[in-house]
Amino acid sequence: MKTENTEPEVKRSLNFIESIVEEDLKNNKNNNVILTRFPPEPNGYLHIGHAKSICLNFGLAQRYNGKTNLRFDDTNPEKEEVEYVDSIMEDVRWLGFNWKGEAHYASDYFQQLYDWAVKIIKDGFAYVDDQSAEIISQQKGTPTQPGIESPHRNRSVEENLDLFTRMKNGEFKEGERVLRAKINMSSPNMHMRDPIMYRILKRNHHRTGNNWCIYPMYDYAHGQSDYIEGITHSICTLEFEVHRPLYEWFLDHVYTEGTIKPRQIEFARLNLSYTIMSKRKLLELVQNKIVNGWDDPRMPTISGMRRRGYTAAAIRQFADTIGVAKRDNVIDVALLEFNVREDLNKIAPRVMAVIDPLKIVITNYPENKEEIVTIENNPEDPSMGNREMPFSQAIFIEKDDFMEDAPKKFFRLTVGSEVRLKSAYIIKCEKVIKDSTGNITELHCTYDPDSRSGSGTEASQRKVKGTLHWVSAKHAIEAEVRLYDRLFNDEAPDGHKDKDYKDFINTDSLKVIKNCKLEPSLKNAAPESKYQFQRIGYFCVDKKDSKPGALVFNRTVPLKDSWTKIQNKE
RNA sequence: UGUCUGAUGGUGUAAUUGGCAACACGUCUGAUUCUGAAUCAGAAGAGUCUAGGUUCGAGACCUAGUCGGACAACCA
């Protein structure tokens, strides 16, 4: 991945994390090593919120000449699966980042974690509790009331060691014993009230199999994993702010002088309007078949956005634009879409595609004549060259591009008016053909033979107010087009106390349109290739369902549309 | 009646020894256009949660409030 420091850098203000890093560098902290980490739990697919975190962690390291570890936080065998591990690695790579060395796993450190737990017991700072989850929870107190101490809190070190060993050896059932840190049951911080370090779980772990029947809890495992790896800056989201004293407590109990001591820094997670970001709820959408899997193009997952046609560059740019801070935020999804269009505008070849076809017969054009017109692939980038497209007597245009009783501001085709067919001729609508029920079935037009684009004639230079996309009827290929819209109708589907987010699902979030008419050059369009359907939007070939001869296109994002805006005003 | 934390245009993010609030998206004009896209030019929109204080000068510092968020899983 290219870094941003090659170009004469525009002075950019630092975010608060960069300030911390620069301060550390100035003070020669950690011998100027910068090592961050991205620590997903493999219990779901990554989403745009994770993308922010990935860009932050990897971006920070790149900027300051450091590296980033990928570490799977796989301490809960109940929920974690290899499928998720694979998808996470794919998504991080696709975003354009490379982690340092091999991927790491918290489960790689189970032995070390165990040994340290034994040390902490020996030092008198951990004990085995025999009570049930319910009792322990009751004794925990509330945020405003102190907890009470477990009757087993003051067991001897020998007894604790014995019990912990037997926990490890599988002598107890799940839930019968836990290892707890001995801190302070009346701490105003709930997390310091003798938190659980280990629980018994007789489950098969996706990596360690049945080697262990005790598993460390997040608070104990995470910080120690950071420490083992020599992470300098451990960046996480705000909800872990209250965990920081515990993070530091554990660290202090295993720390060796002279080694790197990781520092936890918290930032505000991303919220996107019209979107939910909770992994649990996304899983629910998948399981209830409200969407077609984790990579459904309507999902805010990285794989969903990829399948929809978003580019990694657009997502990186988005992450950069939204910045990093500590206050809660809701980003307008329009900003994400702006970044997607901005990138696609530069790289996507233009093509002609008619989604809702209306046939036009050009009555003064010879019936069997065919011409080839030349069209630029991308006016934003001449180096993308030109292509050729057939023109003939019968063509399709978009139904929306014709109106019988048109308002004055309608620049498209109406009876008696002229319009330019992009890169071809100027035509004039003479007659509307309707069926018995009054539906328009066809238009009869005439063309101006001297108006051909690029011919240089006076007629070709004439200004007409509208330019339409079109496709030759007999040459057109057919395809299925999937029009995706936002999944939720509400700005904050998750933000209503009395209503469930599912109440806001947009039932029109997917419209499947068959038999769309596409220009013939699209015949061999490769899976995942991206196009701008001229005047409509950006589309990409679906990587799963599209087949040669039965193409399927996903709408990535529509073009900005000031016409509907004008219409809505009137 | 706790701990931690935050508060700047509609939305985000800036303002680096305190020096007249900037950028992006969005919105609105207009120009241009063989994409009603893009592009270009411009405009509106906050006086920085409140009240005091320090200072020649405060979004930044101090004090006291107000409002918001997180935390009571053998989840992460």
Side-chain angles (χ1 to χ4, degrees), chain A residues 203-226:
Chain A
R203 304 293 170 98
N204 190 277
H205 184 277
H206 73 111
R207 301 200 91 224
T208 60
N210 295 316
N211 295 160
W212 295 88
C213 55
I214 55 170
Y215 290 90
M217 300 288 289
Y218 166 83
D219 284 299
Y220 178 60
H222 195 93
Q224 284 27 258
S225 299
D226 284 342

PDB file of all heavy atoms in Angstrom, chain A residues 203-226:
ATOM      1  N   ARG A 203     -15.413 -26.708  25.402  1.00  0.00           N
ATOM      2  CA  ARG A 203     -15.781 -26.566  23.993  1.00  0.00           C
ATOM      3  C   ARG A 203     -14.561 -26.785  23.126  1.00  0.00           C
ATOM      4  O   ARG A 203     -13.429 -26.559  23.532  1.00  0.00           O
ATOM      5  CB  ARG A 203     -16.294 -25.143  23.700  1.00  0.00           C
ATOM      6  CG  ARG A 203     -17.445 -24.707  24.553  1.00  0.00           C
ATOM      7  CD  ARG A 203     -18.689 -25.519  24.249  1.00  0.00           C
ATOM      8  NE  ARG A 203     -19.717 -25.239  25.245  1.00  0.00           N
ATOM      9  CZ  ARG A 203     -20.716 -24.383  25.067  1.00  0.00           C
ATOM     10  NH1 ARG A 203     -20.816 -23.719  23.944  1.00  0.00           N
ATOM     11  NH2 ARG A 203     -21.596 -24.182  26.020  1.00  0.00           N
ATOM     12  N   ASN A 204     -14.870 -27.148  21.912  1.00  0.00           N
ATOM     13  CA  ASN A 204     -13.812 -27.300  20.935  1.00  0.00           C
ATOM     14  C   ASN A 204     -13.465 -25.923  20.387  1.00  0.00           C
ATOM     15  O   ASN A 204     -14.343 -25.198  19.935  1.00  0.00           O
ATOM     16  CB  ASN A 204     -14.308 -28.223  19.822  1.00  0.00           C
ATOM     17  CG  ASN A 204     -13.186 -28.617  18.898  1.00  0.00           C
ATOM     18  OD1 ASN A 204     -12.844 -27.868  17.996  1.00  0.00           O
ATOM     19  ND2 ASN A 204     -12.614 -29.770  19.135  1.00  0.00           N
ATOM     20  N   HIS A 205     -12.197 -25.583  20.469  1.00  0.00           N
ATOM     21  CA  HIS A 205     -11.758 -24.274  19.997  1.00  0.00           C
ATOM     22  C   HIS A 205     -11.268 -24.404  18.560  1.00  0.00           C
ATOM     23  O   HIS A 205     -10.653 -25.415  18.202  1.00  0.00           O
ATOM     24  CB  HIS A 205     -10.639 -23.764  20.908  1.00  0.00           C
ATOM     25  CG  HIS A 205     -10.179 -22.377  20.576  1.00  0.00           C
ATOM     26  ND1 HIS A 205      -9.270 -22.122  19.583  1.00  0.00           N
ATOM     27  CD2 HIS A 205     -10.509 -21.169  21.120  1.00  0.00           C
ATOM     28  CE1 HIS A 205      -9.042 -20.797  19.533  1.00  0.00           C
ATOM     29  NE2 HIS A 205      -9.788 -20.216  20.450  1.00  0.00           N
ATOM     30  N   HIS A 206     -11.542 -23.380  17.745  1.00  0.00           N
ATOM     31  CA  HIS A 206     -11.223 -23.514  16.318  1.00  0.00           C
ATOM     32  C   HIS A 206      -9.729 -23.692  16.045  1.00  0.00           C
ATOM     33  O   HIS A 206      -9.349 -24.121  14.964  1.00  0.00           O
ATOM     34  CB  HIS A 206     -11.775 -22.314  15.520  1.00  0.00           C
ATOM     35  CG  HIS A 206     -11.016 -21.027  15.715  1.00  0.00           C
ATOM     36  ND1 HIS A 206     -10.263 -20.452  14.738  1.00  0.00           N
ATOM     37  CD2 HIS A 206     -10.893 -20.232  16.807  1.00  0.00           C
ATOM     38  CE1 HIS A 206      -9.716 -19.333  15.198  1.00  0.00           C
ATOM     39  NE2 HIS A 206     -10.081 -19.180  16.449  1.00  0.00           N
ATOM     40  N   ARG A 207      -8.880 -23.399  17.014  1.00  0.00           N
ATOM     41  CA  ARG A 207      -7.449 -23.595  16.790  1.00  0.00           C
ATOM     42  C   ARG A 207      -6.828 -24.566  17.787  1.00  0.00           C
ATOM     43  O   ARG A 207      -5.962 -25.351  17.435  1.00  0.00           O
ATOM     44  CB  ARG A 207      -6.689 -22.264  16.901  1.00  0.00           C
ATOM     45  CG  ARG A 207      -7.165 -21.217  15.928  1.00  0.00           C
ATOM     46  CD  ARG A 207      -6.103 -20.172  15.742  1.00  0.00           C
ATOM     47  NE  ARG A 207      -5.222 -20.496  14.643  1.00  0.00           N
ATOM     48  CZ  ARG A 207      -3.909 -20.393  14.678  1.00  0.00           C
ATOM     49  NH1 ARG A 207      -3.296 -19.999  15.787  1.00  0.00           N
ATOM     50  NH2 ARG A 207      -3.191 -20.691  13.618  1.00  0.00           N
ATOM     51  N   THR A 208      -7.237 -24.468  19.051  1.00  0.00           N
ATOM     52  CA  THR A 208      -6.572 -25.289  20.063  1.00  0.00           C
ATOM     53  C   THR A 208      -7.323 -26.584  20.348  1.00  0.00           C
ATOM     54  O   THR A 208      -6.911 -27.368  21.207  1.00  0.00           O
ATOM     55  CB  THR A 208      -6.386 -24.507  21.386  1.00  0.00           C
ATOM     56  OG1 THR A 208      -7.684 -24.113  21.870  1.00  0.00           O
ATOM     57  CG2 THR A 208      -5.551 -23.266  21.176  1.00  0.00           C
ATOM     58  N   GLY A 209      -8.423 -26.768  19.616  1.00  0.00           N
ATOM     59  CA  GLY A 209      -9.160 -28.020  19.763  1.00  0.00           C
ATOM     60  C   GLY A 209      -9.635 -28.232  21.192  1.00  0.00           C
ATOM     61  O   GLY A 209     -10.271 -27.364  21.779  1.00  0.00           O
ATOM     62  N   ASN A 210      -9.267 -29.390  21.758  1.00  0.00           N
ATOM     63  CA  ASN A 210      -9.690 -29.694  23.121  1.00  0.00           C
ATOM     64  C   ASN A 210      -8.544 -29.598  24.131  1.00  0.00           C
ATOM     65  O   ASN A 210      -8.604 -30.156  25.210  1.00  0.00           O
ATOM     66  CB  ASN A 210     -10.307 -31.096  23.166  1.00  0.00           C
ATOM     67  CG  ASN A 210     -11.582 -31.142  22.332  1.00  0.00           C
ATOM     68  OD1 ASN A 210     -12.417 -30.239  22.400  1.00  0.00           O
ATOM     69  ND2 ASN A 210     -11.712 -32.183  21.520  1.00  0.00           N
ATOM     70  N   ASN A 211      -7.509 -28.868  23.740  1.00  0.00           N
ATOM     71  CA  ASN A 211      -6.366 -28.738  24.653  1.00  0.00           C
ATOM     72  C   ASN A 211      -6.724 -28.035  25.948  1.00  0.00           C
ATOM     73  O   ASN A 211      -6.123 -28.267  26.982  1.00  0.00           O
ATOM     74  CB  ASN A 211      -5.239 -27.937  23.991  1.00  0.00           C
ATOM     75  CG  ASN A 211      -4.670 -28.665  22.781  1.00  0.00           C
ATOM     76  OD1 ASN A 211      -4.045 -28.075  21.921  1.00  0.00           O
ATOM     77  ND2 ASN A 211      -4.910 -29.969  22.719  1.00  0.00           N
ATOM     78  N   TRP A 212      -7.681 -27.149  25.864  1.00  0.00           N
ATOM     79  CA  TRP A 212      -8.016 -26.356  27.045  1.00  0.00           C
ATOM     80  C   TRP A 212      -9.483 -26.497  27.387  1.00  0.00           C
ATOM     81  O   TRP A 212     -10.319 -26.605  26.499  1.00  0.00           O
ATOM     82  CB  TRP A 212      -7.721 -24.860  26.795  1.00  0.00           C
ATOM     83  CG  TRP A 212      -6.259 -24.583  26.597  1.00  0.00           C
ATOM     84  CD1 TRP A 212      -5.582 -24.633  25.426  1.00  0.00           C
ATOM     85  CD2 TRP A 212      -5.304 -24.252  27.611  1.00  0.00           C
ATOM     86  NE1 TRP A 212      -4.253 -24.347  25.626  1.00  0.00           N
ATOM     87  CE2 TRP A 212      -4.049 -24.095  26.969  1.00  0.00           C
ATOM     88  CE3 TRP A 212      -5.375 -24.060  28.997  1.00  0.00           C
ATOM     89  CZ2 TRP A 212      -2.885 -23.769  27.662  1.00  0.00           C
ATOM     90  CZ3 TRP A 212      -4.218 -23.718  29.684  1.00  0.00           C
ATOM     91  CH2 TRP A 212      -2.992 -23.589  29.021  1.00  0.00           C
ATOM     92  N   CYS A 213      -9.735 -26.487  28.679  1.00  0.00           N
ATOM     93  CA  CYS A 213     -11.138 -26.406  29.065  1.00  0.00           C
ATOM     94  C   CYS A 213     -11.358 -25.198  29.959  1.00  0.00           C
ATOM     95  O   CYS A 213     -12.438 -24.995  30.502  1.00  0.00           O
ATOM     96  CB  CYS A 213     -11.620 -27.689  29.726  1.00  0.00           C
ATOM     97  SG  CYS A 213     -10.642 -28.172  31.124  1.00  0.00           S
ATOM     98  N   ILE A 214     -10.318 -24.380  30.108  1.00  0.00           N
ATOM     99  CA  ILE A 214     -10.522 -23.067  30.730  1.00  0.00           C
ATOM    100  C   ILE A 214     -10.084 -22.019  29.704  1.00  0.00           C
ATOM    101  O   ILE A 214      -9.115 -22.225  28.963  1.00  0.00           O
ATOM    102  CB  ILE A 214      -9.720 -22.885  32.032  1.00  0.00           C
ATOM    103  CG1 ILE A 214      -8.223 -23.147  31.797  1.00  0.00           C
ATOM    104  CG2 ILE A 214     -10.272 -23.794  33.134  1.00  0.00           C
ATOM    105  CD1 ILE A 214      -7.359 -22.755  32.983  1.00  0.00           C
ATOM    106  N   TYR A 215     -10.828 -20.955  29.651  1.00  0.00           N
ATOM    107  CA  TYR A 215     -10.525 -19.897  28.675  1.00  0.00           C
ATOM    108  C   TYR A 215     -10.458 -18.542  29.366  1.00  0.00           C
ATOM    109  O   TYR A 215     -11.293 -18.237  30.235  1.00  0.00           O
ATOM    110  CB  TYR A 215     -11.584 -19.870  27.573  1.00  0.00           C
ATOM    111  CG  TYR A 215     -11.494 -21.087  26.671  1.00  0.00           C
ATOM    112  CD1 TYR A 215     -12.217 -22.241  26.960  1.00  0.00           C
ATOM    113  CD2 TYR A 215     -10.655 -21.085  25.564  1.00  0.00           C
ATOM    114  CE1 TYR A 215     -12.114 -23.362  26.154  1.00  0.00           C
ATOM    115  CE2 TYR A 215     -10.554 -22.199  24.743  1.00  0.00           C
ATOM    116  CZ  TYR A 215     -11.282 -23.343  25.043  1.00  0.00           C
ATOM    117  OH  TYR A 215     -11.166 -24.445  24.248  1.00  0.00           O
ATOM    118  N   PRO A 216      -9.484 -17.719  28.987  1.00  0.00           N
ATOM    119  CA  PRO A 216      -9.348 -16.398  29.619  1.00  0.00           C
ATOM    120  C   PRO A 216     -10.418 -15.440  29.123  1.00  0.00           C
ATOM    121  O   PRO A 216     -10.871 -15.539  27.999  1.00  0.00           O
ATOM    122  CB  PRO A 216      -7.957 -15.941  29.167  1.00  0.00           C
ATOM    123  CG  PRO A 216      -7.756 -16.616  27.849  1.00  0.00           C
ATOM    124  CD  PRO A 216      -8.464 -17.938  27.955  1.00  0.00           C
ATOM    125  N   MET A 217     -10.784 -14.511  29.989  1.00  0.00           N
ATOM    126  CA  MET A 217     -11.755 -13.482  29.610  1.00  0.00           C
ATOM    127  C   MET A 217     -11.033 -12.362  28.871  1.00  0.00           C
ATOM    128  O   MET A 217      -9.829 -12.181  28.972  1.00  0.00           O
ATOM    129  CB  MET A 217     -12.411 -12.906  30.867  1.00  0.00           C
ATOM    130  CG  MET A 217     -13.158 -13.929  31.694  1.00  0.00           C
ATOM    131  SD  MET A 217     -14.670 -14.436  30.910  1.00  0.00           S
ATOM    132  CE  MET A 217     -15.657 -12.949  31.102  1.00  0.00           C
ATOM    133  N   TYR A 218     -11.839 -11.558  28.172  1.00  0.00           N
ATOM    134  CA  TYR A 218     -11.280 -10.462  27.381  1.00  0.00           C
ATOM    135  C   TYR A 218     -10.287  -9.593  28.144  1.00  0.00           C
ATOM    136  O   TYR A 218      -9.175  -9.362  27.688  1.00  0.00           O
ATOM    137  CB  TYR A 218     -12.417  -9.570  26.846  1.00  0.00           C
ATOM    138  CG  TYR A 218     -11.910  -8.257  26.309  1.00  0.00           C
ATOM    139  CD1 TYR A 218     -11.415  -8.163  25.010  1.00  0.00           C
ATOM    140  CD2 TYR A 218     -11.866  -7.110  27.107  1.00  0.00           C
ATOM    141  CE1 TYR A 218     -10.910  -6.974  24.526  1.00  0.00           C
ATOM    142  CE2 TYR A 218     -11.357  -5.910  26.630  1.00  0.00           C
ATOM    143  CZ  TYR A 218     -10.884  -5.849  25.346  1.00  0.00           C
ATOM    144  OH  TYR A 218     -10.365  -4.676  24.876  1.00  0.00           O
ATOM    145  N   ASP A 219     -10.707  -9.114  29.320  1.00  0.00           N
ATOM    146  CA  ASP A 219      -9.869  -8.131  30.010  1.00  0.00           C
ATOM    147  C   ASP A 219      -8.499  -8.692  30.365  1.00  0.00           C
ATOM    148  O   ASP A 219      -7.507  -7.984  30.319  1.00  0.00           O
ATOM    149  CB  ASP A 219     -10.566  -7.626  31.279  1.00  0.00           C
ATOM    150  CG  ASP A 219     -11.667  -6.634  30.947  1.00  0.00           C
ATOM    151  OD1 ASP A 219     -11.344  -5.590  30.356  1.00  0.00           O
ATOM    152  OD2 ASP A 219     -12.833  -6.933  31.250  1.00  0.00           O
ATOM    153  N   TYR A 220      -8.501  -9.954  30.711  1.00  0.00           N
ATOM    154  CA  TYR A 220      -7.217 -10.557  31.055  1.00  0.00           C
ATOM    155  C   TYR A 220      -6.407 -10.873  29.805  1.00  0.00           C
ATOM    156  O   TYR A 220      -5.197 -10.663  29.755  1.00  0.00           O
ATOM    157  CB  TYR A 220      -7.434 -11.816  31.894  1.00  0.00           C
ATOM    158  CG  TYR A 220      -6.140 -12.505  32.238  1.00  0.00           C
ATOM    159  CD1 TYR A 220      -5.162 -11.834  32.975  1.00  0.00           C
ATOM    160  CD2 TYR A 220      -5.881 -13.800  31.809  1.00  0.00           C
ATOM    161  CE1 TYR A 220      -3.956 -12.442  33.274  1.00  0.00           C
ATOM    162  CE2 TYR A 220      -4.678 -14.413  32.108  1.00  0.00           C
ATOM    163  CZ  TYR A 220      -3.711 -13.727  32.835  1.00  0.00           C
ATOM    164  OH  TYR A 220      -2.514 -14.333  33.120  1.00  0.00           O
ATOM    165  N   ALA A 221      -7.067 -11.358  28.780  1.00  0.00           N
ATOM    166  CA  ALA A 221      -6.346 -11.812  27.595  1.00  0.00           C
ATOM    167  C   ALA A 221      -5.846 -10.671  26.714  1.00  0.00           C
ATOM    168  O   ALA A 221      -4.748 -10.717  26.171  1.00  0.00           O
ATOM    169  CB  ALA A 221      -7.249 -12.725  26.765  1.00  0.00           C
ATOM    170  N   HIS A 222      -6.678  -9.655  26.592  1.00  0.00           N
ATOM    171  CA  HIS A 222      -6.369  -8.647  25.579  1.00  0.00           C
ATOM    172  C   HIS A 222      -5.091  -7.858  25.866  1.00  0.00           C
ATOM    173  O   HIS A 222      -4.197  -7.767  25.032  1.00  0.00           O
ATOM    174  CB  HIS A 222      -7.553  -7.696  25.398  1.00  0.00           C
ATOM    175  CG  HIS A 222      -7.448  -6.890  24.147  1.00  0.00           C
ATOM    176  ND1 HIS A 222      -8.011  -7.289  22.965  1.00  0.00           N
ATOM    177  CD2 HIS A 222      -6.784  -5.747  23.877  1.00  0.00           C
ATOM    178  CE1 HIS A 222      -7.717  -6.412  22.018  1.00  0.00           C
ATOM    179  NE2 HIS A 222      -6.979  -5.471  22.549  1.00  0.00           N
ATOM    180  N   GLY A 223      -5.040  -7.307  27.056  1.00  0.00           N
ATOM    181  CA  GLY A 223      -3.869  -6.505  27.399  1.00  0.00           C
ATOM    182  C   GLY A 223      -2.584  -7.311  27.400  1.00  0.00           C
ATOM    183  O   GLY A 223      -1.535  -6.846  26.947  1.00  0.00           O
ATOM    184  N   GLN A 224      -2.700  -8.551  27.905  1.00  0.00           N
ATOM    185  CA  GLN A 224      -1.507  -9.409  27.962  1.00  0.00           C
ATOM    186  C   GLN A 224      -1.039  -9.780  26.551  1.00  0.00           C
ATOM    187  O   GLN A 224       0.148  -9.890  26.279  1.00  0.00           O
ATOM    188  CB  GLN A 224      -1.797 -10.654  28.776  1.00  0.00           C
ATOM    189  CG  GLN A 224      -1.843 -10.471  30.291  1.00  0.00           C
ATOM    190  CD  GLN A 224      -2.226  -9.100  30.767  1.00  0.00           C
ATOM    191  OE1 GLN A 224      -1.370  -8.308  31.166  1.00  0.00           O
ATOM    192  NE2 GLN A 224      -3.504  -8.768  30.714  1.00  0.00           N
ATOM    193  N   SER A 225      -2.013  -9.958  25.652  1.00  0.00           N
ATOM    194  CA  SER A 225      -1.653 -10.248  24.265  1.00  0.00           C
ATOM    195  C   SER A 225      -0.928  -9.051  23.655  1.00  0.00           C
ATOM    196  O   SER A 225       0.059  -9.203  22.935  1.00  0.00           O
ATOM    197  CB  SER A 225      -2.907 -10.566  23.448  1.00  0.00           C
ATOM    198  OG  SER A 225      -3.566 -11.699  23.975  1.00  0.00           O
ATOM    199  N   ASP A 226      -1.436  -7.863  23.946  1.00  0.00           N
ATOM    200  CA  ASP A 226      -0.761  -6.654  23.479  1.00  0.00           C
ATOM    201  C   ASP A 226       0.683  -6.644  23.994  1.00  0.00           C
ATOM    202  O   ASP A 226       1.624  -6.333  23.260  1.00  0.00           O
ATOM    203  CB  ASP A 226      -1.469  -5.402  24.023  1.00  0.00           C
ATOM    204  CG  ASP A 226      -2.773  -5.090  23.283  1.00  0.00           C
ATOM    205  OD1 ASP A 226      -2.956  -5.613  22.171  1.00  0.00           O
ATOM    206  OD2 ASP A 226      -3.583  -4.319  23.822  1.00  0.00           O
TER     207      ASP A 226
END
